[in-house]
Amino acid sequence: MRVTQSMLSNNMLRNLSSSYNKMGILQEQLNTGKKVNRPSDDPVVVMKSLGYGMTVDKVAQYQKNLGEVNNWLDSSDDALDGVGQVLHRAKELATNAANTGAMTPEDRDKIKIEMKQLREQLQDLANTKVGDKYIFSGTATDKPLYGENGYPELSTDNTPPTINQTAYEKQVEIEVFDGVNLRVNTEAGAMFKQIDEVFKGIQDSVDNNTDDFDFSGAISSIEKNLDKVLTARADIGARSNRAELMDNRLQMQEGAAKKQRSENEDIDYEVVITELITSESIHRAALSVGARIIQPSLVDFLR
């Protein structure tokens, strides 16, 4: 086959264009730090990067959810700590009020005033909020546990959960991992209601100066509710520990996903720079050889 001058020229121009294109790709990789900058560069790498990116975003959302979990648990623990302090003081007042014969009218007035304040403090704790959500109201987070009509109808602690539960008695869960939900609310509505009734009984007894009120029973009820508060706080502590373990797990998964994404799409700068220098040298050599291949034209002779 006869090789013509036009064939040599066309081949040279095609090879030069390919060399320019390769150097352009390498230069773009150095500018962006990525192996691919558009899906057409390598669809497989792009799809893998999208998958790793979705994993990183999902982990970030779960970490935000864990922050919400910790807010609920910390606020619940602080509120129950306040309930414990109220109960301890109420027990002291109930013990003093039981000595009806030794109390003066002034003593009764002081106990009545303080019991009223303790009861109001308990009601405030029952309406503790995280952001705009009431944390002791079950799934009825937009409604206070203690409202204008007092506490809602709640089942006793000995009644097993049924499908007829009110929203105040249902659990609030937040997803912290694929298929893993953590309960964030503390079922304390019945306890708040029972304590409020005990306080009301002591307050009414002191107010009416009656001697037939069962103070020993009230003190016993306060002690039982103190135990319930401790049990609830222990449960909160256990859930906080689990939330911390989930946070560690999410951090590990986030690190693994970011590492895989980096290995999949990030360039090795040393390798790309070496390839660019090599391509540039080859391109210069091709230009030099091409200048020798192309025949001189009439213009060259005129110069």
Side-chain angles (χ1 to χ4, degrees), residues 152-182:
E153 290 296 328
L154 300 169
S155 60
T156 63
D157 296 338
N158 297 326
T159 302
T162 65
I163 59 174
N164 296 323
Q165 282 181 310
T166 64
Y168 291 95
E169 299 169 291
K170 295 181 179 179
Q171 297 182 354
V172 178
E173 296 182 344
I174 295 179
E175 186 177 12
V176 296
F177 203 70
D178 292 335
V180 179
N181 296 325
L182 282 184

mmCIF file of all heavy atoms in Angstrom, residues 152-182:
data_model
loop_
_atom_site.group_PDB
_atom_site.id
_atom_site.type_symbol
_atom_site.label_atom_id
_atom_site.label_comp_id
_atom_site.label_asym_id
_atom_site.label_seq_id
_atom_site.Cartn_x
_atom_site.Cartn_y
_atom_site.Cartn_z
ATOM 1 N N PRO A 152 -54.123 13.793 82.403
ATOM 2 C CA PRO A 152 -55.069 13.001 81.599
ATOM 3 C C PRO A 152 -55.332 11.651 82.253
ATOM 4 O O PRO A 152 -54.695 11.265 83.235
ATOM 5 C CB PRO A 152 -54.325 12.837 80.267
ATOM 6 C CG PRO A 152 -52.876 12.893 80.645
ATOM 7 C CD PRO A 152 -52.788 13.879 81.779
ATOM 8 N N GLU A 153 -56.276 10.926 81.694
ATOM 9 C CA GLU A 153 -56.572 9.579 82.186
ATOM 10 C C GLU A 153 -55.424 8.650 81.796
ATOM 11 O O GLU A 153 -55.130 8.459 80.628
ATOM 12 C CB GLU A 153 -57.889 9.075 81.588
ATOM 13 C CG GLU A 153 -59.121 9.793 82.133
ATOM 14 C CD GLU A 153 -59.319 9.546 83.617
ATOM 15 O OE1 GLU A 153 -58.957 8.440 84.069
ATOM 16 O OE2 GLU A 153 -59.807 10.445 84.311
ATOM 17 N N LEU A 154 -54.781 8.097 82.815
ATOM 18 C CA LEU A 154 -53.644 7.218 82.590
ATOM 19 C C LEU A 154 -53.859 5.912 83.327
ATOM 20 O O LEU A 154 -54.423 5.889 84.428
ATOM 21 C CB LEU A 154 -52.342 7.865 83.079
ATOM 22 C CG LEU A 154 -51.969 9.200 82.410
ATOM 23 C CD1 LEU A 154 -50.834 9.863 83.165
ATOM 24 C CD2 LEU A 154 -51.583 8.969 80.965
ATOM 25 N N SER A 155 -53.406 4.816 82.718
ATOM 26 C CA SER A 155 -53.520 3.517 83.374
ATOM 27 C C SER A 155 -52.515 3.425 84.506
ATOM 28 O O SER A 155 -51.492 4.109 84.506
ATOM 29 C CB SER A 155 -53.277 2.394 82.365
ATOM 30 O OG SER A 155 -51.977 2.516 81.807
ATOM 31 N N THR A 156 -52.803 2.584 85.480
ATOM 32 C CA THR A 156 -51.873 2.383 86.593
ATOM 33 C C THR A 156 -50.663 1.616 86.107
ATOM 34 O O THR A 156 -50.653 1.001 85.038
ATOM 35 C CB THR A 156 -52.564 1.616 87.729
ATOM 36 O OG1 THR A 156 -52.931 0.320 87.254
ATOM 37 C CG2 THR A 156 -53.799 2.351 88.211
ATOM 38 N N ASP A 157 -49.612 1.626 86.929
ATOM 39 C CA ASP A 157 -48.373 0.940 86.556
ATOM 40 C C ASP A 157 -48.558 -0.561 86.434
ATOM 41 O O ASP A 157 -47.766 -1.231 85.765
ATOM 42 C CB ASP A 157 -47.276 1.244 87.582
ATOM 43 C CG ASP A 157 -46.925 2.718 87.590
ATOM 44 O OD1 ASP A 157 -47.194 3.377 86.591
ATOM 45 O OD2 ASP A 157 -46.396 3.190 88.613
ATOM 46 N N ASN A 158 -49.573 -1.126 87.093
ATOM 47 C CA ASN A 158 -49.775 -2.576 87.071
ATOM 48 C C ASN A 158 -50.593 -3.047 85.880
ATOM 49 O O ASN A 158 -50.774 -4.234 85.671
ATOM 50 C CB ASN A 158 -50.479 -3.030 88.367
ATOM 51 C CG ASN A 158 -49.630 -2.754 89.597
ATOM 52 O OD1 ASN A 158 -48.414 -2.831 89.526
ATOM 53 N ND2 ASN A 158 -50.280 -2.412 90.700
ATOM 54 N N THR A 159 -51.108 -2.102 85.114
ATOM 55 C CA THR A 159 -51.932 -2.464 83.959
ATOM 56 C C THR A 159 -51.039 -2.673 82.743
ATOM 57 O O THR A 159 -50.277 -1.779 82.382
ATOM 58 C CB THR A 159 -52.956 -1.352 83.660
ATOM 59 O OG1 THR A 159 -53.764 -1.152 84.812
ATOM 60 C CG2 THR A 159 -53.819 -1.753 82.483
ATOM 61 N N PRO A 160 -51.096 -3.844 82.096
ATOM 62 C CA PRO A 160 -50.246 -4.072 80.925
ATOM 63 C C PRO A 160 -50.686 -3.195 79.759
ATOM 64 O O PRO A 160 -51.850 -2.830 79.657
ATOM 65 C CB PRO A 160 -50.458 -5.552 80.617
ATOM 66 C CG PRO A 160 -51.804 -5.867 81.189
ATOM 67 C CD PRO A 160 -51.946 -5.009 82.411
ATOM 68 N N PRO A 161 -49.747 -2.828 78.881
ATOM 69 C CA PRO A 161 -50.108 -1.998 77.729
ATOM 70 C C PRO A 161 -51.140 -2.691 76.844
ATOM 71 O O PRO A 161 -51.119 -3.898 76.656
ATOM 72 C CB PRO A 161 -48.768 -1.840 76.989
ATOM 73 C CG PRO A 161 -47.725 -2.146 78.006
ATOM 74 C CD PRO A 161 -48.334 -3.151 78.934
ATOM 75 N N THR A 162 -52.050 -1.923 76.326
ATOM 76 C CA THR A 162 -53.081 -2.459 75.437
ATOM 77 C C THR A 162 -53.183 -1.569 74.207
ATOM 78 O O THR A 162 -52.571 -0.501 74.123
ATOM 79 C CB THR A 162 -54.454 -2.492 76.146
ATOM 80 O OG1 THR A 162 -54.860 -1.133 76.427
ATOM 81 C CG2 THR A 162 -54.373 -3.281 77.437
ATOM 82 N N ILE A 163 -53.975 -2.035 73.260
ATOM 83 C CA ILE A 163 -54.157 -1.239 72.046
ATOM 84 C C ILE A 163 -54.996 -0.005 72.329
ATOM 85 O O ILE A 163 -55.097 0.882 71.480
ATOM 86 C CB ILE A 163 -54.824 -2.089 70.951
ATOM 87 C CG1 ILE A 163 -56.193 -2.606 71.434
ATOM 88 C CG2 ILE A 163 -53.933 -3.232 70.523
ATOM 89 C CD1 ILE A 163 -56.970 -3.344 70.349
ATOM 90 N N ASN A 164 -55.594 0.045 73.510
ATOM 91 C CA ASN A 164 -56.433 1.195 73.870
ATOM 92 C C ASN A 164 -55.646 2.269 74.601
ATOM 93 O O ASN A 164 -56.234 3.153 75.216
ATOM 94 C CB ASN A 164 -57.606 0.724 74.735
ATOM 95 C CG ASN A 164 -58.539 -0.211 73.975
ATOM 96 O OD1 ASN A 164 -58.776 -0.017 72.791
ATOM 97 N ND2 ASN A 164 -59.043 -1.220 74.662
ATOM 98 N N GLN A 165 -54.320 2.185 74.563
ATOM 99 C CA GLN A 165 -53.511 3.203 75.217
ATOM 100 C C GLN A 165 -53.790 4.583 74.618
ATOM 101 O O GLN A 165 -54.039 4.720 73.422
ATOM 102 C CB GLN A 165 -52.023 2.890 75.038
ATOM 103 C CG GLN A 165 -51.476 1.806 75.961
ATOM 104 C CD GLN A 165 -49.996 1.617 75.711
ATOM 105 O OE1 GLN A 165 -49.562 1.460 74.584
ATOM 106 N NE2 GLN A 165 -49.224 1.657 76.769
ATOM 107 N N THR A 166 -53.729 5.566 75.466
ATOM 108 C CA THR A 166 -53.836 6.939 74.981
ATOM 109 C C THR A 166 -52.476 7.374 74.439
ATOM 110 O O THR A 166 -51.458 6.725 74.654
ATOM 111 C CB THR A 166 -54.261 7.879 76.110
ATOM 112 O OG1 THR A 166 -53.232 7.901 77.116
ATOM 113 C CG2 THR A 166 -55.559 7.413 76.737
ATOM 114 N N ALA A 167 -52.489 8.497 73.728
ATOM 115 C CA ALA A 167 -51.231 8.992 73.163
ATOM 116 C C ALA A 167 -50.217 9.308 74.255
ATOM 117 O O ALA A 167 -49.008 9.193 74.040
ATOM 118 C CB ALA A 167 -51.504 10.244 72.326
ATOM 119 N N TYR A 168 -50.720 9.675 75.455
ATOM 120 C CA TYR A 168 -49.817 10.007 76.556
ATOM 121 C C TYR A 168 -49.053 8.784 77.061
ATOM 122 O O TYR A 168 -48.042 8.924 77.748
ATOM 123 C CB TYR A 168 -50.603 10.612 77.718
ATOM 124 C CG TYR A 168 -51.160 11.977 77.421
ATOM 125 C CD1 TYR A 168 -52.471 12.146 76.960
ATOM 126 C CD2 TYR A 168 -50.393 13.119 77.600
ATOM 127 C CE1 TYR A 168 -52.990 13.402 76.688
ATOM 128 C CE2 TYR A 168 -50.900 14.377 77.334
ATOM 129 C CZ TYR A 168 -52.199 14.511 76.880
ATOM 130 O OH TYR A 168 -52.705 15.761 76.612
ATOM 131 N N GLU A 169 -49.531 7.582 76.737
ATOM 132 C CA GLU A 169 -48.914 6.360 77.248
ATOM 133 C C GLU A 169 -48.104 5.614 76.194
ATOM 134 O O GLU A 169 -47.514 4.575 76.487
ATOM 135 C CB GLU A 169 -50.000 5.427 77.793
ATOM 136 C CG GLU A 169 -50.785 6.033 78.947
ATOM 137 C CD GLU A 169 -52.018 5.222 79.311
ATOM 138 O OE1 GLU A 169 -52.961 5.195 78.504
ATOM 139 O OE2 GLU A 169 -52.012 4.607 80.377
ATOM 140 N N LYS A 170 -48.041 6.134 74.979
ATOM 141 C CA LYS A 170 -47.314 5.460 73.910
ATOM 142 C C LYS A 170 -45.852 5.898 73.892
ATOM 143 O O LYS A 170 -45.494 6.955 74.410
ATOM 144 C CB LYS A 170 -47.977 5.738 72.561
ATOM 145 C CG LYS A 170 -49.373 5.145 72.443
ATOM 146 C CD LYS A 170 -49.985 5.421 71.086
ATOM 147 C CE LYS A 170 -51.380 4.810 70.974
ATOM 148 N NZ LYS A 170 -52.007 5.090 69.666
ATOM 149 N N GLN A 171 -45.036 5.056 73.282
ATOM 150 C CA GLN A 171 -43.602 5.294 73.262
ATOM 151 C C GLN A 171 -43.191 6.150 72.074
ATOM 152 O O GLN A 171 -43.778 6.075 70.996
ATOM 153 C CB GLN A 171 -42.833 3.966 73.221
ATOM 154 C CG GLN A 171 -43.038 3.096 74.447
ATOM 155 C CD GLN A 171 -42.209 1.820 74.379
ATOM 156 O OE1 GLN A 171 -41.569 1.531 73.373
ATOM 157 N NE2 GLN A 171 -42.230 1.058 75.460
ATOM 158 N N VAL A 172 -42.165 6.963 72.301
ATOM 159 C CA VAL A 172 -41.575 7.780 71.244
ATOM 160 C C VAL A 172 -40.214 7.185 70.909
ATOM 161 O O VAL A 172 -39.362 7.039 71.783
ATOM 162 C CB VAL A 172 -41.410 9.252 71.685
ATOM 163 C CG1 VAL A 172 -40.749 10.065 70.581
ATOM 164 C CG2 VAL A 172 -42.760 9.842 72.049
ATOM 165 N N GLU A 173 -40.026 6.806 69.650
ATOM 166 C CA GLU A 173 -38.781 6.188 69.216
ATOM 167 C C GLU A 173 -38.153 7.004 68.090
ATOM 168 O O GLU A 173 -38.858 7.609 67.281
ATOM 169 C CB GLU A 173 -39.016 4.748 68.745
ATOM 170 C CG GLU A 173 -39.494 3.816 69.846
ATOM 171 C CD GLU A 173 -39.664 2.392 69.360
ATOM 172 O OE1 GLU A 173 -39.714 2.193 68.121
ATOM 173 O OE2 GLU A 173 -39.723 1.474 70.201
ATOM 174 N N ILE A 174 -36.828 6.990 68.068
ATOM 175 C CA ILE A 174 -36.074 7.683 67.022
ATOM 176 C C ILE A 174 -35.117 6.684 66.392
ATOM 177 O O ILE A 174 -34.424 5.938 67.096
ATOM 178 C CB ILE A 174 -35.290 8.888 67.596
ATOM 179 C CG1 ILE A 174 -36.262 9.956 68.113
ATOM 180 C CG2 ILE A 174 -34.375 9.493 66.541
ATOM 181 C CD1 ILE A 174 -35.581 11.163 68.720
ATOM 182 N N GLU A 175 -35.079 6.667 65.072
ATOM 183 C CA GLU A 175 -34.207 5.728 64.358
ATOM 184 C C GLU A 175 -32.767 6.224 64.423
ATOM 185 O O GLU A 175 -32.462 7.369 64.076
ATOM 186 C CB GLU A 175 -34.648 5.600 62.900
ATOM 187 C CG GLU A 175 -33.887 4.525 62.137
ATOM 188 C CD GLU A 175 -34.380 4.351 60.716
ATOM 189 O OE1 GLU A 175 -35.157 5.225 60.260
ATOM 190 O OE2 GLU A 175 -34.004 3.370 60.068
ATOM 191 N N VAL A 176 -31.862 5.358 64.869
ATOM 192 C CA VAL A 176 -30.452 5.722 65.009
ATOM 193 C C VAL A 176 -29.545 4.864 64.136
ATOM 194 O O VAL A 176 -28.334 5.090 64.097
ATOM 195 C CB VAL A 176 -30.001 5.621 66.478
ATOM 196 C CG1 VAL A 176 -30.739 6.628 67.340
ATOM 197 C CG2 VAL A 176 -30.217 4.209 67.019
ATOM 198 N N PHE A 177 -30.119 3.871 63.444
ATOM 199 C CA PHE A 177 -29.368 3.019 62.533
ATOM 200 C C PHE A 177 -30.381 2.263 61.685
ATOM 201 O O PHE A 177 -31.585 2.334 61.954
ATOM 202 C CB PHE A 177 -28.466 2.048 63.314
ATOM 203 C CG PHE A 177 -27.296 1.531 62.528
ATOM 204 C CD1 PHE A 177 -26.246 2.377 62.197
ATOM 205 C CD2 PHE A 177 -27.237 0.221 62.105
ATOM 206 C CE1 PHE A 177 -25.159 1.922 61.467
ATOM 207 C CE2 PHE A 177 -26.157 -0.247 61.370
ATOM 208 C CZ PHE A 177 -25.112 0.609 61.057
ATOM 209 N N ASP A 178 -29.906 1.558 60.679
ATOM 210 C CA ASP A 178 -30.820 0.805 59.825
ATOM 211 C C ASP A 178 -31.578 -0.231 60.643
ATOM 212 O O ASP A 178 -30.999 -1.215 61.128
ATOM 213 C CB ASP A 178 -30.042 0.096 58.709
ATOM 214 C CG ASP A 178 -29.440 1.083 57.717
ATOM 215 O OD1 ASP A 178 -29.981 2.191 57.616
ATOM 216 O OD2 ASP A 178 -28.436 0.746 57.066
ATOM 217 N N GLY A 179 -32.879 -0.013 60.810
ATOM 218 C CA GLY A 179 -33.713 -0.948 61.556
ATOM 219 C C GLY A 179 -33.540 -0.887 63.049
ATOM 220 O O GLY A 179 -34.062 -1.744 63.770
ATOM 221 N N VAL A 180 -32.812 0.108 63.573
ATOM 222 C CA VAL A 180 -32.575 0.228 65.019
ATOM 223 C C VAL A 180 -33.225 1.517 65.515
ATOM 224 O O VAL A 180 -32.866 2.614 65.068
ATOM 225 C CB VAL A 180 -31.073 0.237 65.347
ATOM 226 C CG1 VAL A 180 -30.860 0.400 66.858
ATOM 227 C CG2 VAL A 180 -30.411 -1.041 64.852
ATOM 228 N N ASN A 181 -34.174 1.378 66.427
ATOM 229 C CA ASN A 181 -34.851 2.530 67.023
ATOM 230 C C ASN A 181 -34.577 2.554 68.525
ATOM 231 O O ASN A 181 -34.559 1.507 69.172
ATOM 232 C CB ASN A 181 -36.363 2.464 66.782
ATOM 233 C CG ASN A 181 -36.707 2.549 65.308
ATOM 234 O OD1 ASN A 181 -36.046 3.245 64.550
ATOM 235 N ND2 ASN A 181 -37.738 1.832 64.896
ATOM 236 N N LEU A 182 -34.372 3.733 69.060
ATOM 237 C CA LEU A 182 -34.182 3.892 70.497
ATOM 238 C C LEU A 182 -35.367 4.649 71.085
ATOM 239 O O LEU A 182 -35.794 5.671 70.542
ATOM 240 C CB LEU A 182 -32.890 4.661 70.794
ATOM 241 C CG LEU A 182 -31.569 3.908 70.683
ATOM 242 C CD1 LEU A 182 -30.417 4.808 71.099
ATOM 243 C CD2 LEU A 182 -31.578 2.657 71.550
#
